[in-house]
Amino acid sequence: MPYIVRVKQKFNAAHFLTDYHGKPEPLHGHTWMVELYIKADKLDNGGMGYDFLEIKDLLKEILPDYKCMNDIYDFSPSAENVAKYIYDQVKKKYPTLVKVVVWETEEGGAEYYEE
Ligand SMILES: Nc1nc2c(c(=O)[nH]1)N=C([C@H](O)[C@H](O)COP(=O)(O)OP(=O)(O)OP(=O)(O)O)CN2
Ligand SMILES: [Zn+2]
């Protein structure tokens, strides 16, 4: 019986969309929220699918905390593209990753998954 292990992590980062309706957005920052959904087909003896803390440690390595995303990525750092980037990184360690949700603000975000 599958379970979904879910982990959320906030990070602070600046960005601008490189082509926002035809021109670059002004540089600005957000407190972003990332959510991971990882499928676990079985639990260990302690009742865990995957340890939240180990997942959070991986996220700390991946997330661009206190950085300007445009300085480090070769893509326009929209919520969509950032979600795919994080998905690709996390999938290497957790192949059963189902989806990544990235909230740029409390109201606006995007998710990436593969069909
Ligand atoms: N589909 C997407 N749409 C937008 C993205 C995106 O990544 N994917 N990004 C932006 C902007 O980067 C903007 O920051 C979005 O934030 P917004 O909701 O406008 O919040 P603000 O902080 O800029 O606005 P307040 O007025 O301060 O709430 C736009 N669209
Ligand atoms: Zn923004």
Side-chain angles (χ1 to χ4, degrees):
M1 199 61 114
Y3 298 83
I4 299 286
V5 175
R6 296 176 51 170
V7 169
K8 290 186 185 179
Q9 179 74 48
K10 282 185 182 167
F11 64 101
N12 295 292
H15 81 146
F16 61 90
L17 303 184
T18 58
D19 182 346
Y20 187 58
H21 303 296
K23 58 181 184 188
E25 265 193 315
L27 176 66
H28 61 279
H30 300 284
T31 298
W32 303 67
M33 171 73 85
V34 56
E35 299 181 57
L36 302 185
Y37 292 68
I38 304 176
K39 185 159 80 76
D41 288 320
K42 59 184 171 55
L43 305 183
D44 69 13
N45 291 338
M48 293 189 302
Y50 296 101
D51 188 336
F52 302 147
L53 301 185
E54 289 178 6
I55 299 167
K56 285 172 88 76
D57 283 345
L58 176 64
L59 276 177
K60 282 177 201 145
E61 286 171 27
I62 293 169
L63 297 179
D65 207 16
Y66 291 101
K67 300 216 168 93
C68 174
M69 295 188 187
N70 299 75
D71 291 343
I72 56 176
Y73 298 145
D74 62 359
F75 53 80
S76 181
S78 62
E80 289 89 333
N81 281 338
V82 174
K84 181 179 186 326
Y85 172 79
I86 295 169
Y87 181 97
D88 289 343
Q89 303 307 309
V90 173
K91 187 91 174 169
K92 292 176 193 168
K93 182 153 181 198
Y94 292 96
T96 57
L97 178 66
V98 175
K99 72 174 173 178
V100 172
V101 186
V102 169
W103 292 96
E104 187 169 324
T105 65
E106 293 206 352
E107 297 85 22
E111 60 185 62
Y112 182 81
Y113 63 93
E114 292 184 346
E115 292 171 326

